Amino acid sequence: MHELSIVASLFEILEAKARENQATKIVRVRLKVGKLAGVVPEFLQTAFDSYKQDTIAAASHLEIEEVPLKVRCRKCTAEIEKEDFVLVCPSCGSTDLEILEGMELLLDKIDLEI
Amino acid sequence: MSKKELIVREEILGSNKKVAAEIRGKMEAAGVLVVNLLSSPGSGKTTLLERIVETLKPTHPLAVIEGDIETERDADRIRRKGVPAWQITTGGACHLEAKMVGKLLPEIPAETKFLFIENVGNLVCPAGYDLGENLRCVLLSAPEGDDKPKKYPKAFATADCLIITKSDLIPYLPFDLEKAGNEALDLNPRLRIFVTSALKGRGIAELARYFIESRVNMIQHQRHA
């Protein structure tokens, strides 16, 4: 349950971006959350909604896009979207896989009113 | 009033990663290998650390940072071994963050060769926070069960080594050592696995050797960089 501390870090970035752009309001916040990011989107939503009170993002809406785990096999170059976390290539059995997506915890876009 | 869509694409925990990278840089330059120990509460992190401290101390000065929600107990246990130890009490937070470790760096003695960080007992949240470590070790005690790696994938997927603890209890438990190891290797094929018993001394010398070798590799890697 570290979603609240993630939201606190998120608001540091949000407030800095709002200042840089001389925004009066943040109306939408879009995140990309990887399946292996270790974060529960519902908890993130709850933490966001309680944290946003009395901030520049008080009236904002949080959208979370969940990103599946995607890997590339370094041996046979196959790119695979995985349902589980078993890091074995289903095509050639190699364990030499590179994680392309699914670990991220990203602030993707924000909509501002200036 | 105008509306603007701003593309940010910034990591939310980017500031933690930045501090962690600074810690790693400073510690590597000072020849200190930083080890982050992760596990659920009660899996034997402090007891294992006591054995490791006893083994390494005669040849390698070391220091320990203890993370807990409350009390100085773990740091006291390490201090009793004659090793400098600092307690971070998070007051409820479920993990350590890099900036908490960063604040303590000026206090670490110059001759230190290893810094062990015992994270708050929790297999979920600490996995998301880089503390500037060179090695991340996840502990799994035999009584917890051999099915844990896939239930807590991130901790095992991001670790460098898996330390099975309390192995002296395996004969009394339905714990399949091979299954536990294979589950963890499925998630992370590069994982090094050590089987230990802090009570009986099993695997402690091998683990200490692994830490020493990792430090030598770190220093050599630095020279070539």
Side-chain angles (χ1 to χ4, degrees):
Chain A
M1 247 307 279
H2 57 311
E3 281 75 4
L4 193 58
S5 85
I6 289 168
V7 166
S9 302
L10 170 64
F11 270 84
E12 280 177 26
I13 307 175
L14 290 180
E15 274 157 12
K17 295 292 170 193
R19 260 196 314 275
E20 280 167 28
N21 290 277
Q22 286 151 356
T24 52
K25 246 188 196 177
I26 294 175
V27 289
R28 184 157 70 150
V29 176
R30 283 183 274 182
L31 310 184
K32 284 191 171 179
V33 175
K35 217 180 153 186
L36 202 51
V39 172
V40 185
E42 289 82 355
F43 291 176
L44 210 52
Q45 189 78 53
T46 311
F48 183 88
D49 288 339
S50 57
Y51 202 98
K52 72 179 183 184
Q53 312 296 326
D54 304 320
T55 72
I56 194 157
S60 70
H61 177 65
L62 178 69
E63 287 173 21
I64 300 172
E65 184 190 333
E66 290 188 63
V67 182
L69 184 63
K70 197 173 164 192
V71 297
R72 180 194 291 132
C73 176
R74 288 200 180 93
K75 207 172 157 204
C76 75
T77 71
E79 281 190 16
I80 315 113
E81 211 169 270
K82 293 199 69 83
E83 287 300 312
D84 55 25
F85 301 122
V86 177
L87 291 186
V88 178
C89 176
S91 311
C92 74
S94 166
T95 54
D96 192 8
L97 303 182
E98 180 190 355
I99 295 178
L100 299 175
E101 287 174 2
M103 298 282 278
E104 61 272 76
L105 185 54
L106 211 66
L107 170 57
D108 192 29
K109 293 174 193 163
I110 45 183
D111 290 4
L112 304 168
E113 274 183 19
I114 295 165
Chain B
M1 185 198 77
S2 64
K3 281 199 175 182
K4 180 180 173 183
E5 186 191 77
L6 189 70
I7 295 172
V8 186
R9 304 245 160 86
E10 217 172 282
E11 280 194 65
I12 298 172
L13 297 181
S15 63
N16 184 75
K17 281 194 182 159
K18 197 170 151 246
V19 177
E22 285 166 13
I23 293 172
R24 193 155 27 245
K26 271 186 208 163
M27 291 289 96
E28 279 181 10
V32 182
L33 184 92
V34 182
V35 182
N36 183 2
L37 299 171
L38 257 66
S39 80
S40 58
S43 63
K45 288 186 291 302
T46 316
T47 308
L48 181 81
L49 208 43
E50 285 175 321
R51 298 292 93 77
I52 290 294
V53 161
E54 287 163 3
T55 312
L56 288 176
K57 196 189 153 212
T59 49
H60 296 79
L62 49 101
V64 174
I65 294 175
E66 290 285 347
D68 272 302
I69 291 183
E70 290 295 345
T71 84
E72 282 272 327
R73 282 175 194 167
D74 284 357
D76 282 340
R77 282 173 63 182
I78 300 298
R79 285 180 200 126
R80 259 176 247 138
K81 302 282 169 196
V83 165
W86 294 269
Q87 183 79 48
I88 300 174
T89 45
T90 63
C94 50
H95 60 274
L96 294 180
E97 296 192 14
K99 61 179 181 233
M100 300 173 179
V101 173
K103 273 187 208 158
L104 291 171
L105 293 194
E107 296 186 40
I108 290 164
E111 69 274 15
T112 304
K113 302 284 187 276
F114 293 98
L115 173 63
F116 288 92
I117 305 169
E118 182 182 332
N119 220 311
V120 179
N122 179 337
L123 265 182
V124 186
C125 312
Y129 289 84
D130 184 354
L131 301 181
E133 69 265 24
N134 304 99
L135 286 182
R136 179 175 286 196
C137 300
V138 59
L139 278 68
L140 172 64
S141 69
E144 287 170 71
D146 51 28
D147 61 342
K148 290 300 170 290
K150 284 189 181 163
K151 292 170 88 168
Y152 299 93
K154 191 169 186 184
F156 292 87
T158 59
D160 299 289
C161 83
L162 164 64
I163 306 170
I164 308 271
T165 58
K166 308 188 189 183
S167 71
D168 51 298
L169 294 176
I170 291 176
Y172 313 101
L173 298 167
F175 182 88
D176 185 337
L177 191 56
E178 206 184 320
K179 178 173 178 256
N182 286 340
E183 277 221 356
L185 287 171
D186 272 352
L187 296 165
N188 183 351
R190 282 174 201 74
L191 203 61
R192 286 280 301 268
I193 301 179
F194 296 89
V195 180
T196 67
S197 161
L199 220 57
K200 305 283 178 193
R202 180 184 182 191
I204 304 297
E206 289 82 351
L207 191 56
R209 206 175 308 128
Y210 169 66
F211 292 140
I212 292 170
E213 283 168 7
S214 300
R215 182 174 172 271
V216 170
N217 289 341
M218 175 189 85
I219 291 167
Q220 281 174 350
H221 188 77
Q222 240 182 329
R223 284 199 191 126
H224 292 282

